[in-house]
Amino acid sequence: MSQSSSSTVSAGAAIESPRRRDSPLFQRVATGLAVATLALVVIFAVPPDVAFFTWFAIFFWASIEFVAMARRLVPTAPFAALYLAIPLAALAVFAMSRSDAAGVGAATIVMSGAALVTFAVGATLLGRVAAPDALASAGVMTLAVPYFAVPVLCLDQLQRLDPWLTFLFILVVSLGDTMAFFVGRAIGRHKLAPRISPNKTIEGSIGGLLFAIGGAAAWSLWRLGEVVPGLLLVAALTALAAQIGDLVESLFKRGAGIKDSAQTLPGHGGVYDRVDAILLAAPVFLAGVLALGPERLLP
């Protein structure tokens, strides 16, 4: 084959590559559709308790990837204790929410905080962590428990209020993330956080935020027959929290010297990479819904 013919074939392959099943964009879209389908099934087709344990399994998987990443930085820390502490925390709150005494008062919050700190420093001491790693060990363990347990509770609470609120939350986060990616690729010029995530742009961030607000407006008009202004504010704050959650994970990964938390999901990296935005966004969205009044968001 001549050099020119070879060049033509190579050029043709390059043009067709985005459509190939092994192209990153194809994998990203295919995985995204699979994840979206799973989310819809969990939201609308299974009982609330089954939905809770599904979210629980997803976030526990993400926590395992987080722990593996943290071990790279603090190798002597007893992070295996988190494999017990995170599920226990999530299940304890789940049990409280199903009991007659589901209200959470100031005393409960203080006791929970004290128990968390005691667990973190106690495990660090009993684990005989090397002195230079002690502070980081206690810090990671204090962060990890609420970081992964609280979003499970938030999704469960939204599901109990109305599955359509869970759908709206996923819609806001997904639209914000997806459109930030595509808008950034199309018109992004100014870096958002070059030292943390070089590919993210200010234009992409703004585009994702606007699409998230637009999605909430469309949901409100379709579901409620009107656009609720307060809901648009909640969507904006949720999308902003989701972007911060994404940047936080990028910061953690950069510190650990890795690109993805794992290679579990083709085109998306690990489960932690897929849910990083939800970890901070779920509490913001639930707080916003409760502040507006859930009855205001029901048809």
Side-chain angles (χ1 to χ4, degrees):
M1 180 179 294
S2 67
Q3 183 175 357
S4 59
S5 299
S6 176
S7 299
T8 301
V9 173
S10 298
I15 292 173
E16 295 175 359
S17 62
R19 300 179 183 179
R20 291 171 52 187
R21 293 187 177 183
D22 59 349
S23 72
L25 182 56
F26 179 89
Q27 292 180 343
R28 183 181 182 91
V29 172
T31 302
L33 289 175
V35 171
T37 301
L38 173 63
L40 289 175
V41 170
V42 173
I43 292 171
F44 294 113
V46 301
D49 287 354
V50 176
F52 169 83
F53 283 103
T54 303
W55 301 126
F56 172 85
I58 291 170
F59 284 96
F60 182 60
W61 192 338
S63 74
I64 293 174
E65 296 177 356
F66 172 84
V67 168
M69 182 174 64
R71 284 188 188 280
R72 298 169 65 95
L73 298 173
V74 197
T76 65
F79 289 149
L82 291 171
Y83 297 145
L84 180 63
I86 292 173
L88 285 179
L91 292 173
V93 177
F94 174 75
M96 288 176 57
S97 69
R98 293 301 190 271
S99 69
D100 294 333
V104 178
T108 303
I109 295 174
V110 171
M111 291 176 62
S112 299
L116 177 59
V117 172
T118 301
F119 157 73
V121 298
T124 298
L125 283 172
L126 295 176
R128 300 179 180 180
V129 177
D133 292 342
L135 182 59
S137 171
V140 168
M141 298 182 79
T142 303
L143 167 69
V145 175
Y147 190 43
F148 290 100
V150 169
V152 180
L153 168 67
C154 294
L155 289 171
D156 178 61
Q157 291 296 308
L158 289 172
Q159 190 81 2
R160 293 175 63 197
L161 290 172
D162 184 4
W164 282 103
L165 290 175
T166 310
F167 173 81
L168 174 59
F169 168 68
I170 299 297
L171 176 68
V172 166
V173 174
S174 298
L175 267 179
D177 177 63
T178 302
M179 297 314 299
F181 173 77
F182 284 109
V183 172
R185 287 189 60 176
I187 63 173
R189 297 294 182 272
H190 303 87
K191 299 298 184 182
L192 178 65
R195 294 185 178 181
I196 300 175
S197 187
N199 293 328
K200 289 183 172 58
T201 64
I202 295 176
E203 292 85 355
S205 175
I206 295 174
L209 187 64
L210 292 177
F211 271 96
I213 295 172
W219 180 94
S220 181
L221 186 61
W222 171 72
R223 183 74 178 158
L224 307 176
E226 62 174 322
V227 176
V228 179
L231 183 60
L232 303 187
L233 176 60
V234 172
L237 294 175
T238 300
L240 182 60
Q243 292 187 15
I244 294 173
D246 192 3
L247 287 173
V248 166
E249 196 225 3
S250 295
L251 181 62
F252 290 164
K253 289 190 296 185
R254 184 164 291 273
I258 58 176
K259 182 180 183 295
D260 296 315
S261 63
Q263 297 298 324
T264 310
L265 304 173
H268 287 274
V271 175
Y272 181 31
D273 294 312
R274 186 64 260 172
V275 304
D276 55 359
I278 295 177
L279 295 172
L280 297 188
V284 172
F285 186 80
L286 177 61
V289 167
L290 295 177
L292 282 177
E295 67 282 352
R296 182 72 181 85
L297 303 177
L298 299 178

